[in-house]
Amino acid sequence: MYAQMIKSEATQDDPEKLAAFQARIDAGEKIEPKDWMPEGYRKTLIRQIGQHAHSEIVGQLPEGNWITRAPTLERKAILLAKVQDEAGHGLYLYCAAETLGVSRDEITEMLLDGRMKYSSIFNYPTLNWADIGAVGWLVDGAAIMNQVPLQRTSFGPYSRAMIRICKEESFHQRQGYDAIRKMAEGTPEQKKMAQDALNRLWYPSLMMFGPSDKDSVHSAQSMAWKIKMNTNDELRQKFVDQTVPQAEYLGLTIPDPDLKWNEERGHYDYTDPDWSEFFEVIKGNGPCNVDRLAARNKAWDDGAWVRDGLLAHAKKKATRQHAAE
Ligand code: BYC
């Protein structure tokens, strides 16, 4: 597949082509899979869409863990539906990545052997039911903050996938907020669990937006190509501004003693995450990295017979058709 891409590299430095491509981006046109595109644009999209798809798939693990232990039948049905939605999001995104000339198997293998990343947040554990509410509220809340602008991203298939995904994500965020609200309004023990979940998941949620702008290696080029529509810090600030009043409504305290409204800026001032922790987690040293990758590798290996069976069936069918012609 990559060979196909390399073929077009001779035209990669053609300044006229590059300028015409940038003019299309600047005019707000969508780039479609068969259009000419710079190799860097294609590679950046494969990286970002692939990572995004992997995040949706790995993201099922911490929540799937609680389906059998949800406190009521209704909560179980809702969580099951949400986790199934995440699988669907992963599939739309893998399809969008495939239009760039990389197969789903190829990028899956890159996830399984650690060459590709998935969101840092899924390397933290979900220890109890309050964590599931907090994941919906904070993690899906952060995901929406990032994904709503991506509906306008310049690559057509990614943009269209995001439109569909965002509709479902907003339901996910609301179910999480509803679950944590129930805990926050419950017994003192339940409220304590809700506060504890917020304490543990606040900073990992802020890290989802990526490193601070000064350390973000891809932002400038990705924004020029409209692959990203905002910087990491812009979206993080929007998330903080949106979430603080939600926490206040719940009677919960954001675990940041220096958090305060800044009248002049019209935003909350907040303490940055511990970036050394973030870089450790994305290097593979977070609390659950080893377990998450082991679970995905096991699922891939356990599913080999299904893939083999489908391929054998397709081959037999093609041979029969060929013989009949
Ligand atoms: N985790 O130059 P930067 C969800 C990496 S949740 C891990 O700023 P970029 C869901 C980055 O890849 C979320 N790695 O990068 C919710 C780069 O390393 P490489 C999924 C991270 O790409 C609930 C390096 O750090 N959403 O779907 O310009 C349930 C430097 O960073 C992270 C998306 O993926 C991180 N948090 O900006 C289920 C949204 N942050 O690749 C599922 C689409 C940074 O050079 N992605 N890195 O080795 C994006 O918008 C951007 O890729 C990011 C990062 C804002 C995440």
Side-chain angles (χ1 to χ4, degrees), residues 96-289:
E98 283 188 315
T99 69
L100 291 156
V102 64
S103 76
R104 188 168 141 195
D105 280 8
E106 277 176 284
I107 49 176
T108 300
E109 277 159 18
M110 287 198 257
L111 165 73
L112 298 179
D113 66 18
R115 276 176 291 156
M116 270 182 101
K117 295 187 169 73
Y118 56 89
S119 182
S120 50
I121 186 71
F122 301 118
N123 293 308
Y124 291 85
T126 43
L127 301 178
N128 57 49
W129 179 252
D131 287 15
I132 297 302
V135 165
W137 170 34
L138 301 172
V139 175
D140 288 85
I144 299 174
M145 194 56 80
N146 169 283
Q147 288 170 184
V148 164
L150 289 178
Q151 295 177 106
R152 292 179 286 112
T153 192
S154 60
F155 186 56
Y158 192 25
S159 152
R160 291 187 285 275
M162 291 320 306
I163 292 169
R164 200 156 165 180
I165 290 174
C166 282
K167 289 202 173 89
E168 292 173 349
E169 289 291 4
S170 91
F171 151 76
H172 294 173
Q173 195 269 351
R174 284 178 206 187
Q175 69 80 35
Y177 194 66
D178 183 61
I180 198 98
R181 184 183 55 77
K182 255 292 191 272
M183 299 289 287
E185 289 172 357
T187 62
E189 287 80 7
Q190 286 171 321
K191 184 165 184 184
K192 211 168 146 201
M193 281 172 73
Q195 181 63 55
D196 168 62
L198 172 59
N199 292 349
R200 282 180 291 104
L201 288 164
W202 174 250
Y203 280 110
S205 301
L206 294 192
M207 292 176 194
M208 286 174 70
F209 297 96
S212 67
D213 289 352
K214 65 177 174 25
D215 294 320
S216 169
V217 280
H218 302 294
S219 281
Q221 182 59 73
S222 289
M223 285 180 68
W225 278 331
K226 294 190 184 161
I227 289 176
K228 270 169 88 162
M229 308 304 287
N230 301 88
T231 73
N232 301 351
D233 286 337
E234 277 168 13
L235 291 176
R236 194 170 6 255
Q237 180 73 64
K238 270 182 103 168
F239 174 75
V240 171
D241 292 349
Q242 174 185 281
T243 311
V244 173
Q246 294 173 349
E248 279 168 3
Y249 180 81
L250 296 173
L252 300 179
T253 308
I254 303 275
D256 177 358
D258 294 328
L259 182 89
K260 62 171 186 314
W261 179 252
N262 182 325
E263 198 62 54
E264 217 169 283
R265 292 200 310 122
H267 292 292
Y268 282 94
D269 290 336
Y270 64 94
T271 310
D272 258 341
D274 172 356
W275 290 120
S276 61
E277 176 181 323
F278 169 79
F279 287 112
E280 276 305 305
V281 172
I282 68 171
K283 259 200 289 176
N285 302 325
C288 299
N289 296 61

